[in-house]
Amino acid sequence: MDPALVHRLASGEGWGLLQSLPPYDASETMSLATRLRGEGFDAELVSAALTQSDLRARAEAKFGAAAREMLFTRDGLEQATRARIAEHHATRFAEAGVRHVYDLGCGIGADAMATARAGIALTAVDADEATAAIAAVNLRHWPQAQVRHAAAEHVDIPTGEDGRSCGVWVDPARRTPGVADAQGRTRRLFRLEDISPSWDDVRGYLTRTPAAGAKLSPAFPHAAVPPGVEAQWTSYDGEVLECALWAGATVRTPGRTACVLREHVGALVTEQDAAGAQPMPAELSRLGPYLYEPDRAVLRAGLVGALVNAADGRELSPGVGYVTGLADVQLPWARRYAITDAMPYNLKGLRALLRDRDTGNLTIKKRGVSLDADQLRRQLRLQGDRSTTIVITRVGGAQVVLVVTPL
């Protein structure tokens, strides 16, 4: 959308049209558009309103009922921070005593909304004019929030005594500007040197500002974490969504941490939890009775040692992430299985084992191996009535199959 269309959608006629639409149903879109144009609504406005209706329906997974009062772009929705994670970000600034946050690269305003909701004054900035206009609509309920259309590099952050209670939150663009695909999305960028503001600029905010945070890709390299900074990988329902860097007063635990969020569950894993874990690979003949699978945020943060310590165990093979242990422990950041069978990977032997178990429904988990799960199912020719879960991975460098039961 261009800024003019954003303003039309947020105005009386456009907003009224948008709020009057029924729950989004793709199968009814064409007929609804035809009816609305027949009632005298401009075709461009109808198209934009129906697109917003679609995006609002998709956005409820991130924003809940608040999505019904917001505007979106496809890229903006895809990149927007989930409401629960944004609340965690805002809490960092509130606990650090920050009274004014400069949100650089605010996008549609997901983090900015959480910051304003926490009672913190806010200057939200985005380099794209239409996106800044959308953020202004989404932040309209908070008088202490102002939105500017500007490049982050052109925003003056207060320094000295004036800057003592200020914080910076920067969310660099990680997509190519310009031509979008058929779904309206632009291409992702994966290299740290391609982000905007630049990595040098981001490091400058982290080192010069009394309280600062930066939202980066989950693929952020461990070696790039600046000294004294906390790098926190965060997952939601098992999906790693970001690596946030925290500096100055916002740091809680320097170094790498993993934040694991699920409904009604939140857990933190730190380098201290992983300290002292011995990198000794397991042996197939001496596996413990339990298998543990860490949350992906723990894997991304390189903190599998915390699971080794907690389970009194060993990692099956360096880098695999699965840990076999003697201890029966329940952890909010790891799944637990009972190991019932273990064998070297062999198609014929696996087929016989599953036939003996009367397996017809097979769940295949794999890590550290190159294998097509669907092709394997066809090769196994399962015809039984029972369900079985197997893990195909590596133990001591060799490819193995573990039959497990989720606990």
Side-chain angles (χ1 to χ4, degrees):
M1 286 192 295
D2 59 32
L5 188 53
V6 174
H7 291 303
R8 287 187 67 192
L9 272 176
S11 67
E13 181 188 32
W15 194 258
L17 171 61
L18 186 54
Q19 297 303 97
S20 71
L21 294 177
Y24 184 77
D25 183 343
S27 66
E28 298 292 329
T29 300
M30 294 297 292
S31 59
L32 180 57
T34 299
R35 177 173 66 79
L36 292 171
R37 290 194 297 268
E39 292 174 359
F41 288 103
D42 174 74
E44 183 183 39
L45 188 62
V46 168
S47 177
L50 291 174
T51 296
Q52 288 301 312
S53 181
D54 176 20
L55 293 175
R56 282 178 166 185
R58 297 171 188 268
E60 289 202 29
K62 284 190 174 183
F63 297 98
R68 302 169 197 167
E69 297 288 330
M70 297 172 64
L71 295 182
F72 301 94
T73 64
R74 293 194 185 277
D75 275 357
L77 174 57
E78 186 170 317
Q79 297 173 72
T81 306
R82 283 182 173 271
R84 188 173 175 194
I85 299 176
E87 289 170 10
H88 275 250
H89 297 162
T91 299
R92 290 255 190 177
F93 286 111
E95 291 181 350
V98 172
R99 294 198 293 271
H100 191 128
V101 168
Y102 287 79
D103 186 338
L104 308 180
C106 67
I108 62 169
D111 276 294
M113 290 168 64
T115 302
R117 196 176 288 117
I120 301 172
L122 176 76
T123 300
V125 178
D126 201 273
D128 181 77
E129 186 177 2
T131 301
I134 287 174
V137 173
N138 294 339
L139 286 161
R140 66 193 182 282
H141 300 300
W142 293 279
Q144 79 272 29
Q146 59 173 310
V147 180
R148 293 173 53 188
H149 165 224
E153 299 90 332
H154 298 157
V155 177
D156 292 327
I157 309 298
T159 58
E161 191 62 34
D162 291 339
R164 195 173 298 278
S165 61
C166 290
V168 169
W169 172 251
V170 57
D171 186 353
R174 296 186 297 278
R175 286 185 175 273
T176 54
V179 179
D181 63 16
Q183 285 73 46
R185 296 188 297 263
T186 51
R187 184 171 59 85
R188 284 186 178 184
L189 299 170
F190 294 98
R191 299 192 309 165
L192 192 59
E193 54 266 36
D194 291 334
I195 64 174
S196 177
S198 71
W199 173 230
D200 284 343
D201 286 335
V202 171
R203 282 186 296 186
Y205 293 126
L206 295 173
T207 56
R208 295 194 305 267
T209 310
K215 178 182 174 181
L216 297 168
S217 163
F220 184 80
H222 294 176
V225 179
V229 165
E230 178 180 355
Q232 183 165 98
W233 281 261
T234 298
S235 67
Y236 187 87
D237 281 346
E239 181 185 3
V240 188
L241 299 175
E242 68 176 30
C243 173
L245 302 184
W246 298 100
T250 63
V251 173
R252 292 172 178 167
T253 306
R256 289 173 283 112
T257 64
C259 177
V260 177
L261 299 176
R262 292 186 173 87
E263 189 174 4
H264 309 305
V265 173
L268 179 70
V269 181
T270 70
E271 288 189 47
Q272 288 87 337
D273 296 321
Q278 297 300 313
M280 297 183 296
E283 299 175 23
L284 186 59
S285 61
R286 300 178 62 185
L287 296 181
Y290 301 103
L291 181 74
Y292 294 89
E293 179 184 13
D295 183 272
R296 288 185 174 88
V298 177
L299 284 171
R300 284 284 193 176
L303 299 175
V304 174
L307 185 52
V308 171
N309 289 339
D312 187 20
R314 294 184 176 188
E315 192 172 6
L316 295 186
S317 193
V320 164
Y322 285 116
V323 169
T324 180
L326 298 173
D328 180 9
V329 293
Q330 296 186 41
L331 301 165
W333 45 272
R335 296 191 64 182
R336 179 174 52 120
Y337 305 87
I339 301 175
T340 57
D341 283 289
M343 58 178 284
Y345 178 75
N346 174 277
L347 180 60
K348 184 176 179 180
L350 178 59
R351 185 186 293 128
L353 176 64
L354 296 175
R355 185 175 60 245
D356 290 344
R357 286 175 165 266
D358 192 30
T359 299
N361 180 32
L362 182 66
T363 298
I364 301 174
K365 301 177 71 66
K366 60 188 180 74
R367 187 175 296 152
V369 297
S370 180
L371 181 143
D372 186 321
D374 291 331
Q375 181 181 9
L376 176 59
R377 284 192 183 87
R378 292 192 295 269
Q379 292 172 330
L380 290 170
R381 302 191 295 273
L382 303 174
Q383 297 180 350
D385 297 319
R386 296 183 177 179
S387 297
T388 302
T389 299
I390 64 172
V391 175
I392 303 177
T393 184
R394 308 190 77 83
V395 172
Q399 196 162 309
V400 302
V401 177
L402 307 179
V403 181
V404 299
T405 301
L407 298 174

